[in-house]
């Protein structure tokens, strides 16, 4: 069991003033059997109420609306967490065994699933090794629209792409698994890994660091793929381009 403090900051800047900005901020970690949260504080600038709702996957979402003209929006959440090295016991919806828009497998990618039998967690680790042998870690070559098949063809990507690839391979064998977005110790951006279902529990597997996701992994969102875990979604009135920057930090206490 480990204890951490964490901070996540999101800054959105507009090229011209906008108004009637309605948004959904999906970065509010929840407590469950493996992680307990307390002291959570969410702040928005411009100031607005941030009521919490749950999405279809059970993730907590803060919903906000800024009516007045503004050229920037800043959101910050901070808190403490105790994380245990304990898989999550849960029922598994059938949808997690089916390919999603970003995790469809075909051709060479589907062939990676050949011979993956036996224990689902062992199969996931073998699949992660196969993915890692082909797809090197490289920033800037993929984005949030990149599919697993495209990352495989490129032979490069980041943690999001490796998670999508692992999901594609597992789902090709009808092994249920889900995408996880969260934090690990350090500074930078969010991290992504996979939770594979062993028949009773979801067990975390990190295909980027090639290990099980233990008590240093703070889960924020879960879903079929990264689209279900998007940190920010919104609409606004105004003819403006937007840019976004993020900063995340998690440190032991």
């Amino acid at each position: 069991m480990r204890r951490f403090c964490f901070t996540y900051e999101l800054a959105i800047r507009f090229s011209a003033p906008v108004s009637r900005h309605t948004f959904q901020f999906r970065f509010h970690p929840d407590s469950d059997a493996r992680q307990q949260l307390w002291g959570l504080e969410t702040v928005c600038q411009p100031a607005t109420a941030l009521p919490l709702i749950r999405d279809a996957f059970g993730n907590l979402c803060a919903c906000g609306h800024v009516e007045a003209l503004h050229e920037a929006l800043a959101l910050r959440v901070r808190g403490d967490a105790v994380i245990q090295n304990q898989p999550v016991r849960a029922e598994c919806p059938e949808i997690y065994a089916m390919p999603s828009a970003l995790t469809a497998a075909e051709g060479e990618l589907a062939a990676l699933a050949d011979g993956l039998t036996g224990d689902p967690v062992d199969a996931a680790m073998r699949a992660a090794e196969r993915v890692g042998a082909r797809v090197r870690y490289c920033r800037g070559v993929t984005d949030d629209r990149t599919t697993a098949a495209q990352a495989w063809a490129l032979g490069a990507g980041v943690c999001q792409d490796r998670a999508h690839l692992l999901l594609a391979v597992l789902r090709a064998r009808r092994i249920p698994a889900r995408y996880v977005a969260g934090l690990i110790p350090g500074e930078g951006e969010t991290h992504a890994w996979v939770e594979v279902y062993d028949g009773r529990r979801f067990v975390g597997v990190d295909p980027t660091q090639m290990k099980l996701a233990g008590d240093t992994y703070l889960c924020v969102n879960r879903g079929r793929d990264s689209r279900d875990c998007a940190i920010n979604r919104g609409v606004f009135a105004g003819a403006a381009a937007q840019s976004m920057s993020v900063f995340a930090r998690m440190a032991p206490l």
Side-chain angles (χ1 to χ4, degrees):
M1 183 170 65
R2 303 281 296 276
R3 181 177 175 181
F4 297 91
C5 62
F6 65 91
T7 301
Y8 182 87
E9 298 175 353
L10 170 69
I12 303 173
R13 294 175 176 83
F14 300 97
S15 60
V18 302
S19 63
R20 287 178 280 165
H21 185 182
T22 298
F23 59 90
Q24 188 178 77
F25 180 47
R26 193 183 276 101
F27 195 98
H28 200 288
D30 199 8
S31 295
D32 59 23
R34 70 172 296 274
Q35 63 185 40
Q36 291 78 48
L37 284 296
W38 74 94
L40 285 175
E41 177 189 43
T42 305
V43 178
C44 179
Q45 185 62 40
T48 184
L50 295 170
L52 292 175
I53 64 169
R54 289 191 184 275
D55 65 14
F57 300 94
N59 302 311
L60 285 172
C61 308
C63 299
H65 178 81
V66 178
E67 183 70 18
L69 285 171
H70 56 287
E71 295 184 1
L73 180 75
L75 288 154
R76 184 186 70 229
V77 61
R78 61 175 56 171
D80 296 339
V82 169
I83 307 173
Q84 304 180 66
N85 191 14
Q86 179 174 325
V88 179
R89 287 183 177 271
E91 297 295 323
C92 181
E94 185 178 353
I95 194 171
Y96 286 134
M98 301 169 62
S100 66
L102 296 177
T103 64
E106 57 186 27
E108 289 185 9
L109 184 54
L112 282 189
D114 293 345
L116 292 179
T117 58
D119 179 78
V121 179
D122 289 341
M125 290 300 297
R126 295 199 306 274
E129 291 171 357
R130 296 177 184 182
V131 168
R134 163 67 181 264
V135 180
R136 61 189 175 88
Y137 189 90
C138 182
R139 292 177 177 272
V141 297
T142 59
D143 58 29
D144 58 2
R145 297 166 295 180
T146 303
T147 67
Q150 289 169 337
W152 178 257
L154 285 170
V158 292
C159 58
Q160 172 180 288
D161 303 296
R162 288 194 176 188
H164 285 159
L165 283 159
L166 178 54
L167 289 170
V169 175
L170 293 175
R171 290 170 180 171
R173 295 293 299 178
R174 301 290 293 181
I175 298 174
R178 60 190 182 187
Y179 183 98
V180 186
L183 298 178
I184 56 176
E187 294 185 353
E189 299 181 347
T190 57
H191 190 51
W193 62 96
V194 167
E195 286 180 339
V196 60
Y197 193 65
D198 70 358
R200 296 177 301 137
R201 309 168 304 171
F202 280 99
V203 180
V205 174
D206 184 345
T208 300
Q209 300 195 7
M210 296 295 176
K211 65 180 183 179
L212 297 179
D215 59 5
T216 60
Y217 286 72
L218 176 64
C219 170
V220 176
N221 297 310
R222 299 179 174 101
R224 294 165 299 177
D225 56 36
S226 63
R227 289 182 181 175
D228 294 331
C229 301
I231 298 300
N232 173 65
R233 286 179 176 157
V235 293
F236 56 84
Q242 62 177 325
S243 60
M244 185 173 71
S245 62
V246 302
F247 173 79
R249 180 178 184 271
M250 189 167 88
L253 290 173

